[in-house]
Amino acid sequence: MAVQQTTQPTRPTRREKVGVIDAYSTGVLDYCLDNGIHFDYGLGVSAGAANITSYLAGQRGRPLRFYTKYCPRPEYMSLGNFLRDGSYLGLDYIYGTLMNEDGEDPLDYDALVAGGVPYRITVTDALSGMP
């Protein structure tokens, strides 16, 4: 009597998920866009929050513009901002005036949402130290 050999069914290969954490990596994310490198999850911290949303919206070069074209403007960064608002950065100007739907360099929110990639953005509360 021959013993019948059984083989275990093979499990389908499961692709590991890959995420990206950005604290300040303007050129790296542009490289990823240029080379079709995609992530399953995004986390942006501080300036990286703007970078990661631009990447996920497919807006190549947008973060670089913020650090080169707009940065010299006094509304963006200046002692006047600090004296007036207590912050060297004009956060309302950066994250409002420039980035709003009707702003000079708006975030493509529709593309960000359509991409379907889950993401988190965070900043740190200066008083509590909490995200």
Side-chain angles (χ1 to χ4, degrees), residues 101-124:
E101 184 176 15
D102 60 347
E104 188 173 342
D105 206 333
L107 175 65
D108 188 344
Y109 186 74
D110 292 337
L112 175 65
V113 172
V117 176
Y119 66 95
R120 295 261 187 220
I121 56 175
T122 186
V123 294
T124 302

Side-chain angles (χ1 to χ4, degrees), residues 26-27 30 51 60-70:
T26 302
D30 281 349
N51 296 345
R60 187 197 189 291
R62 186 170 176 270
L64 182 60
R65 288 192 300 276
F66 274 78
Y67 304 127
T68 57
K69 180 179 179 180
Y70 309 128

Side-chain angles (χ1 to χ4, degrees), residues 4 6 22-23 31 36 52 55 58 60-61 86 90 99 109 123 126:
Q4 188 178 20
T6 60
D22 185 336
Y31 176 88
I52 199 72
Y55 163 79
R60 187 197 189 291
M99 293 181 68
Y109 186 74
V123 294

